[in-house]
């Protein structure tokens, strides 16, 4: 055969051989590159959407290339704010003097720091008499120059640098070491301070002796030290039950290379856009804005405490916002920076207050307009400024009474609980849990749900006292799923979401009904999750603002014959939170499926499969 | 295709087994494509190596809606084009101007083991214009559709199809003349 006779076939099919040894070496390089790329620093700074972790504003703050650097700066700021609590502390005695002498004599200090219940932030490096500080945190080095009010944040992995202007830093001795030294030095001159021994306890396997010093309600300082050397082991400081700051692992007089504090961008680093955190001209209005913002992000609730750590955790718990495009992500990042600045400004206002203040916004409901949530007495004033739950500020001559503590909530099992991302319905010995829906481009909805019943002697289900823990384990259910195909009728579980109804805006346009069919099922930790597809008769454009869907609930006729046709229960299961398209099908839809599967062993489903199933169901409905 | 989708899905979730499978599945195709585009064993090996390393690092950024083989082939083609440009900038005779050259230098651990038929075909391919060679190689060895190649080359589909047709004619002619000798 002449080579030209089938030139295409020749080119297509020509074989090459590879050297197996080199092949193995190349594969080794590739796998190594892959493993490196999975390390958190790289993946986090890319700020990309992830299937497993749903992006929220707060998470975006922590994952974005730009805001991550700024967030690192804000953590340092929180430390600055927190260290204001290191105010004047008590009168000295021999023991106190012994313990603190090493701190007073230090020229340099290195120590680890923890704020609130957050992770430890290692380590801070400071030099007495210098207005700068360096801190290392997971590939990020932060250098703060208090005189110029600038921070230089270096990402040592990505070789990026960012200057942050900090306008209006709290007026306080800025050097951590000096601050501690000055606080201790003042003890001898403060006749009102109280100093008490805390005895001994073990810290990190070593015996330590404790001293607790406080002055009125403004200062609270505890130092645990090594009884042999009198060197401090742990310093705790707190104020009125707010932020707790713990310093530990002290090293004093460590040799320090002054170039570590240079505000010059190191060679090889790329400078990123400069940003600014403005802490100047703070007023009570900043606190009001901070509280309003928290309330908006937390479904009307206020934070338990006025500290960054608590607020950060609580917002992250409530904020389930989802981004579906890069443009949205950028907007969220911008919004994240605004939120961060707002919160920091509000908290800094509080921490800078010279006089008394109290916060008790926790558990005050949004509709309780006349309840005070915060009061303070401005320095030199006879009156109190009081912020009420409706965020109005009034001046009054007496401090408002602390709200009475609420009676403990009933421990009875709730019948319907909406918590986090799911809706739970529990009735006698049967229950169902439904999660938010996925809306596809043809208007069909997929909902994941599970249902089980408690049977005598069975490893049954459990509902937490506040509905917070739900567990459905009924291994016999698997038989209901084994022969089901996509498009088949729904499995006969104890309760079934047989259809959905969507009431159009303000009732105009009537109600759209969605017929439910089986799409797939997944198993995780012994539970079985049904993935049902609900299809409207007419194709609809996917609508992110669709109102709540009302599930039509039916009971299994084989076990609950009398209830079967009653369609007893109607409750909203929330709007379709995820709009699924070709770009996010793998990451969002399959990602969620993986979350509901043991070790990510999901059924093999493509977007095309879902749309084809939907079309088949729609055709059968029309017939 | 379903296997590719599943592999990508697993790869994006951190499975190195999926990455190894992707590598095993497509390394030969990509090496053959790189050789066709460059006719230089060392450069082809480097490019495919770099292409896979880059792919391995891109699990978080990877969009999965397209065809995996085409995606990898386009990655090799882009790198091959850059390599050619760099070579031109360095004042070395471009492949288009040069006669058929095959890297004859054999390293002790060379990845591709040349065979005669493979060398002859690459010699013939190297006599096409680079654009023609790219279209022929990407379509037949990279499995890319003409429509996808238009995006890569920035020309109309008619131009791509013409390049393909003329490329094949020329190859036919070259191989025919060799056969007559």
């Amino acid at each position: 055969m002449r080579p030209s006779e089938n030139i295409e076939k020749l080119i297509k099919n020509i074989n090459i051989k590879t050297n197996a040894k080199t092949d193995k070496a190349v594969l080794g390089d590739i796998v190594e590159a892959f493993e490196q790329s999975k390390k958190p620093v790289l993946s986090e700074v890319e700020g990309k959407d992830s299937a497993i972790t749903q992006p929220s504003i707060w998470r975006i703050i922590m994952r974005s290339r730009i805001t991550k650097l700024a967030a690192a700066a804000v953590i340092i700021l929180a430390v600055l704010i927190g260290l204001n609590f290191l105010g004047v502390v008590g009168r000295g005695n021999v023991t106190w003097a012994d313990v603190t002498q090493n701190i007073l004599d230090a020229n340099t200090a290195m120590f680890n720091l923890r704020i609130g219940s957050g992770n430890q932030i290692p380590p801070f490096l400071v030099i007495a008499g210098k207005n700068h500080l360096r801190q290392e945190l997971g590939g990020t080095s932060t250098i703060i120059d208090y005189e110029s009010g600038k921070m230089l944040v270096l990402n040592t992995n990505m070789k990026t640098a960012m200057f942050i202007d900090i306008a209006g830093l709290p007026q306080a001795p800025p050097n951590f070491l000096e601050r501690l030294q000055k606080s201790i030095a003042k003890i001898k001159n403060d006749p009102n301070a109280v100093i008490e021994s805390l005895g001994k306890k073990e810290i990190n396997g070593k015996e330590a002796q404790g001293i607790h010093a406080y002055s009125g309600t403004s200062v609270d300082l505890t130092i645990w030290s090594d009884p042999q050397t009198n060197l401090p082991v742990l310093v705790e400081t707190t104020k009125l039950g707010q932020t707790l700051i713990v310093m530990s692992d002290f090293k004093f007089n460590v040799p320090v290379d002054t170039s570590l504090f240079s505000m010059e961008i190191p060679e090889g680093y790329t400078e990123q856009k400069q940003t600014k955190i403005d802490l100047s001209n703070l007023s009570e209005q900043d606190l009001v804005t901070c509280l309003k913002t928290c309330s908006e992000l937390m479904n009307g609730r206020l934070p338990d405490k006025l500290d960054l750590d608590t607020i950060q955790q609580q917002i992250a718990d409530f904020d389930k916002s989802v981004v579906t495009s890069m443009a949205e992500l950028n907007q969220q990042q911008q919004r994240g920076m605004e939120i961060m600045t707002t919160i920091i400004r509000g908290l800094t206002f509080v921490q800078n207050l010279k006089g008394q203040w109290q916060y008790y916004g926790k558990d005050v409901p949004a509709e309780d307009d006349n309840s005070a949530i915060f009061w303070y007495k401005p320095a030199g004033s006879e009156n109190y400024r009081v912020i009420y739950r409706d965020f109005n500020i009034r001046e009054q001559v007496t401090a408002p009474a602390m709200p009475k503590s609420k009676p403990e909530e009933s421990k009875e099992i709730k019948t319907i609980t909406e918590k986090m991302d799911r809706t739970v319905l529990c009735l006698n010995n049967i229950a169902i849990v439904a999660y938010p829906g996925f809306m596809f481009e043809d208007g069909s909805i997929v909902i994941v749900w599970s249902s089980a019943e408690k049977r005598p002697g069975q490893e049954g289900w459990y509902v937490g006292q506040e509905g917070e823990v739900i567990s459905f384990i009924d291994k016999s259910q698997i038989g209901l799923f084994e022969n089901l195909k996509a498009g088949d009728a729904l499995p006969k579980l104890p309760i079934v979401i047989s259809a959905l109804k969507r009431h159009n805006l303000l009732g105009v346009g009537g109600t759209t009904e969605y017929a439910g069919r089986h799409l797939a099922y997944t198993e995780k930790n012994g539970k079985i999750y049904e993935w049902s597809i609900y299809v409207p008769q007419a194709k609809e454009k996917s609508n992110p603002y669709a109102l709540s869907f009302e599930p039509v609930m039916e009971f299994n006729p084989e076990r609950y014959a009398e209830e079967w046709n009653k369609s007893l229960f109607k409750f909203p299961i929330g709007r379709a939170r995820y709009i699924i398209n070709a770009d996010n099908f793998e990451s969002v839809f399959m990602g969620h499926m993986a979350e509901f599967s043991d070790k990510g062993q999901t059924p093999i489903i493509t977007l095309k499969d879902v749309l084809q199933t939907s079309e088949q169901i729609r055709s059968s409905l029309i017939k | 295709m379903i296997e590719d989708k599943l592999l990508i899905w697993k790869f994006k979730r951190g499975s190195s087994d999926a990455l190894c499978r992707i590598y095993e599945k497509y390394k030969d195709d990509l090496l053959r494509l790189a050789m066709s585009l460059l006719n230089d064993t060392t450069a082809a090996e480097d490019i495919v190596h770099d292409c896979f390393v880059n792919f391995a690092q891109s699990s978080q950024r990877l969009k999965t809606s397209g065809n995996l083989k085409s995606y990898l082939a386009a990655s090799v083609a882009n790198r091959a084009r850059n390599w050619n440009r760099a070579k031109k900038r360095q004042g070395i005779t471009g492949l288009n101007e040069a006669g058929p050259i095959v890297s004859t230098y054999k390293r002790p651990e060379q990845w591709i083991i040349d065979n005669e038929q493979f060398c002859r075909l690459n010699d013939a391919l190297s006599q096409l214009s680079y654009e023609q060679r790219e279209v022929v190689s990407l379509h037949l060895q990279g499995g890319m559709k003409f429509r996808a190649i238009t995006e890569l080359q920035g020309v109309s589909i008619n131009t791509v199809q013409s390049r393909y047709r003329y490329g094949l004619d020329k190859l036919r002619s070259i191989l025919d003349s060799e056969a007559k000798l």
Side-chain angles (χ1 to χ4, degrees):
Chain A
M1 182 179 78
R2 291 196 325 187
S4 62
E5 284 177 357
N6 199 340
I7 194 85
E8 285 172 314
K9 201 172 172 183
L10 178 69
I11 297 172
K12 226 177 203 175
N13 295 336
I14 192 161
N15 284 322
I16 61 167
K17 290 178 185 169
T18 54
N19 173 331
K21 195 175 170 188
T22 312
D23 212 9
K24 198 174 170 186
V26 173
L27 188 55
D29 285 354
I30 293 165
V31 171
E32 190 184 338
F34 182 50
E35 296 302 329
Q36 285 290 330
S37 76
K38 286 196 287 187
K39 288 185 178 172
V41 173
L42 268 179
S43 60
E44 281 173 20
V45 294
E46 286 299 334
K48 297 290 179 186
D49 193 1
S50 156
I52 308 301
T53 54
Q54 302 162 28
S56 69
I57 288 176
W58 202 268
R59 286 178 194 131
I60 284 166
I61 289 170
M62 300 312 290
R63 291 166 63 192
S64 146
R65 186 190 297 274
I66 293 172
T67 54
K68 190 167 185 281
L69 291 180
V74 167
I75 289 168
I76 311 297
L77 276 181
V79 176
L80 288 176
I81 294 164
L83 282 184
N84 280 340
F85 301 145
L86 282 175
V88 180
V89 285
R91 179 179 49 227
N93 60 23
V94 176
T95 313
W96 179 259
D98 290 344
V99 169
T100 56
Q101 197 58 47
N102 286 300
I103 302 174
L104 293 172
D105 291 345
N107 290 317
T108 65
M110 189 181 281
F111 52 89
N112 290 340
L113 198 83
R114 182 163 59 78
I115 304 169
S117 55
N119 294 325
Q120 188 163 277
I121 308 170
F124 283 81
L125 180 60
V126 291
I127 303 177
K130 301 287 183 187
N131 285 327
H132 51 212
L133 165 151
R134 182 179 174 107
Q135 190 259 333
E136 310 287 341
L137 172 63
T140 302
S141 302
T142 307
I143 303 145
I144 306 180
D145 185 331
Y146 299 102
E147 277 180 12
S148 64
K150 272 188 186 294
M151 299 174 81
L152 174 59
V153 188
L154 304 171
N155 185 321
T156 49
N157 292 312
M158 300 298 290
K159 300 285 180 205
T160 55
M162 179 196 273
F163 278 111
I164 299 178
D165 265 334
I166 313 162
L169 270 173
Q171 290 180 343
N175 183 299
F176 286 3
L177 179 57
E178 285 188 333
R179 190 160 182 74
L180 192 56
Q181 288 171 334
K182 284 182 180 178
S183 298
I184 293 167
K186 282 178 183 174
I187 291 169
K188 294 170 186 172
N189 304 319
D190 184 354
N192 298 319
V194 177
I195 300 170
E196 58 190 21
S197 170
L198 297 176
K200 293 181 179 178
K201 75 170 181 180
E202 203 171 274
I203 297 176
N204 295 333
K206 288 185 179 175
E207 189 181 64
Q209 60 186 13
I211 294 172
H212 181 205
Y214 60 95
S215 175
T217 56
S218 61
V219 173
D220 195 325
L221 179 69
T222 301
I223 298 181
W224 292 92
S225 59
D226 183 333
Q228 305 299 321
T229 62
N230 284 326
L231 285 169
V233 177
L234 194 83
V235 175
E236 293 175 338
T237 176
T238 183
K239 180 184 179 182
L240 297 177
Q242 304 292 321
T243 305
L244 171 71
I245 294 169
V246 180
M247 290 178 274
S248 61
D249 304 309
F250 287 91
K251 286 179 188 166
F252 293 112
N253 296 319
V254 287
V256 170
D257 176 1
T258 51
S259 68
L260 289 173
F261 298 96
S262 169
M263 293 297 280
E264 300 289 324
I265 294 176
E267 206 175 318
Y269 278 67
T270 309
E271 186 174 356
Q272 295 194 319
K273 192 181 169 188
Q274 186 160 334
T275 190
K276 185 175 181 178
I277 297 173
D278 186 1
L279 296 177
S280 60
N281 302 321
L282 296 171
S283 72
E284 60 192 18
Q285 203 53 48
D286 286 301
L287 177 59
V288 169
T289 312
C290 165
L291 293 170
K292 272 185 184 172
T293 304
C294 292
S295 175
E296 281 167 16
L297 293 169
M298 292 162 56
N299 289 353
R301 269 193 62 180
L302 289 172
D304 291 354
K305 289 195 287 182
L306 290 184
D307 87 53
L308 186 69
D309 183 47
T310 304
I311 292 175
Q312 176 182 332
Q313 282 184 20
Q314 289 191 296
I315 290 178
D317 282 347
F318 275 91
D319 178 21
K320 300 292 175 191
S321 56
V322 168
V323 293
T324 54
S325 67
M326 282 308 290
E328 243 183 281
L329 184 68
N330 290 334
Q331 281 176 3
Q332 292 279 48
Q333 286 176 358
Q334 181 62 36
R335 172 82 178 126
M337 277 303 292
E338 288 167 12
I339 290 169
M340 192 190 298
T341 305
T342 301
I343 291 169
I344 290 294
R345 281 184 68 87
L347 294 183
T348 309
F349 165 75
V350 176
Q351 312 299 6
N352 283 349
L353 288 173
K354 305 286 184 204
Q356 298 172 301
W357 59 269
Q358 272 289 3
Y359 169 77
Y360 23 68
K362 181 191 175 188
D363 293 334
V364 177
E367 60 276 10
D368 204 351
D369 290 349
N370 291 320
S371 284
I373 54 173
F374 181 89
W375 62 259
Y376 73 100
K377 196 172 183 182
S381 170
E382 290 298 314
N383 294 337
Y384 295 84
R385 301 283 294 169
V386 184
I387 301 174
Y388 283 83
R389 187 61 179 86
D390 59 3
F391 302 115
N392 280 319
I393 303 173
R394 297 174 216 163
E395 187 159 319
Q396 51 196 65
V397 291
T398 55
M402 188 178 278
K404 287 177 186 172
S405 58
K406 288 186 173 180
E408 202 171 340
E409 286 194 15
S410 164
K411 296 295 184 189
E412 289 175 17
I413 293 174
K414 294 177 180 176
T415 53
I416 296 178
T417 302
E418 276 198 61
K419 191 161 177 87
M420 305 299 286
D421 271 345
R422 66 188 173 201
T423 305
V424 181
L425 173 65
C426 304
L427 284 160
N428 301 322
N429 61 340
I430 52 175
I432 185 165
V433 183
Y435 296 81
F438 303 85
M439 181 177 269
F440 286 80
E441 54 202 30
D442 65 349
S444 56
I445 309 282
V446 172
I447 289 175
V448 54
W449 54 278
S450 65
S451 172
E453 64 181 320
K454 187 179 181 183
R455 295 179 186 171
Q458 187 188 32
E459 186 189 9
W461 53 268
Y462 168 74
V463 181
Q465 289 186 328
E466 293 180 3
E468 79 280 22
V469 178
I470 307 287
S471 178
F472 294 93
I473 300 174
D474 185 347
K475 290 174 183 168
S476 66
Q477 286 186 348
I478 191 69
L480 296 172
F481 290 88
E482 277 173 348
N483 296 318
L484 282 185
K485 299 190 300 293
D488 284 354
L490 296 169
K492 291 178 178 176
L493 291 163
I495 308 178
V496 174
I497 302 176
S498 59
L500 292 182
K501 287 183 180 177
R502 180 160 70 80
H503 302 293
N504 295 320
L505 191 63
L506 301 175
V508 178
T511 301
T512 307
E513 293 202 7
Y514 296 72
R517 298 286 187 276
H518 172 77
L519 178 68
Y521 74 95
T522 55
E523 288 181 90
K524 186 171 185 181
N525 299 333
K527 297 180 203 171
I528 300 172
Y529 295 92
E530 158 67 8
W531 293 69
S532 300
I533 184 164
Y534 299 89
V535 182
Q537 281 210 356
K539 279 189 182 181
E540 290 202 346
K541 197 178 174 187
S542 57
N543 175 7
Y545 304 106
L547 298 180
S548 296
F549 292 90
E550 182 185 281
V552 177
M553 315 285 284
E554 293 184 3
F555 290 81
N556 184 343
E558 287 170 14
R559 298 189 64 82
Y560 302 96
E562 65 277 18
E563 286 96 343
W564 179 244
N565 290 317
K566 288 184 182 171
S567 296
L568 282 176
F569 298 98
K570 294 175 181 176
F571 62 97
I573 55 173
R575 70 186 189 202
R577 192 176 288 282
Y578 304 98
I579 307 299
I580 303 297
N581 52 38
D583 286 335
N584 66 7
F585 177 84
E586 292 283 344
S587 59
V588 177
F589 186 77
M590 294 305 290
H592 275 79
M593 209 171 238
E595 280 199 310
F596 282 91
S597 305
D598 283 321
K599 297 176 185 171
Q601 291 170 346
T602 62
I604 298 172
I605 295 180
T606 63
L607 177 61
K608 199 175 165 187
D609 294 337
V610 176
L611 296 177
Q612 274 180 355
T613 304
S614 168
E615 193 50 50
Q616 283 165 8
I617 296 168
R618 186 174 289 112
S619 305
S620 69
L621 293 174
I622 293 167
K623 281 176 194 170
Chain B
M1 284 297 283
I2 285 183
E3 191 204 6
D4 281 0
K5 280 188 182 298
L6 193 62
L7 286 173
I8 293 174
W9 185 82
K10 286 181 177 173
F11 167 60
K12 281 171 74 69
R13 278 151 192 80
S15 164
S16 53
D17 286 348
L19 176 65
C20 293
R21 173 71 191 126
I22 292 170
Y23 168 80
E24 290 294 344
K25 192 172 175 184
Y26 291 119
K27 64 159 195 210
D28 288 351
D29 288 342
L30 296 184
L31 276 167
R32 203 167 49 200
L33 173 66
M35 274 297 285
S36 300
L37 293 173
L38 301 169
N39 205 15
D40 181 315
T41 309
T42 310
E45 289 176 354
D46 285 349
I47 278 174
V48 173
H49 172 274
D50 291 352
C51 170
F52 270 117
V53 166
N54 187 262
F55 177 74
Q57 290 168 335
S58 70
S59 62
Q60 300 298 314
R61 305 188 299 272
L62 191 66
K63 296 274 183 186
T64 55
S65 51
N67 176 305
L68 178 58
K69 188 178 176 186
S70 293
Y71 173 85
L72 293 169
S75 172
V76 166
N78 283 329
R79 283 167 189 276
R81 217 182 283 166
N82 291 341
W83 185 85
N84 276 331
R85 283 199 199 108
K87 207 168 179 193
K88 276 184 184 173
R89 275 201 301 276
Q90 288 162 10
I92 299 168
T93 310
L95 284 178
N96 291 345
E97 291 81 43
I101 48 165
V102 179
S103 176
T104 52
Y105 170 63
K106 305 282 185 201
R107 288 163 291 134
E109 291 194 350
Q110 193 164 326
W111 194 4
I112 302 170
I113 302 168
D114 299 339
N115 64 43
E116 193 188 337
Q117 194 183 27
F118 181 63
C119 292
R120 280 181 57 207
L121 183 64
N122 272 339
D123 284 350
L125 276 166
S126 67
Q127 293 177 55
L128 305 185
S129 75
Y130 190 75
E131 289 74 17
Q132 286 174 353
R133 194 189 330 164
E134 199 174 60
V135 172
V136 170
S137 303
L138 285 173
H139 185 64
L140 294 176
Q141 296 178 327
M144 281 178 81
K145 294 191 170 137
F146 289 132
R147 182 72 62 190
I149 299 172
T150 61
E151 287 172 22
L152 196 72
Q153 293 198 333
V155 293
S156 72
I157 192 156
N158 288 339
T159 308
V160 168
Q161 285 171 334
S162 298
R163 283 175 180 172
Y164 180 73
R165 205 168 44 247
Y166 289 128
L168 284 191
D169 286 347
K170 192 169 177 185
L171 272 180
R172 197 172 288 123
S173 155
I174 294 165
L175 292 171
D176 270 352
S177 63
E178 277 185 17
K180 284 173 189 166
L181 289 177

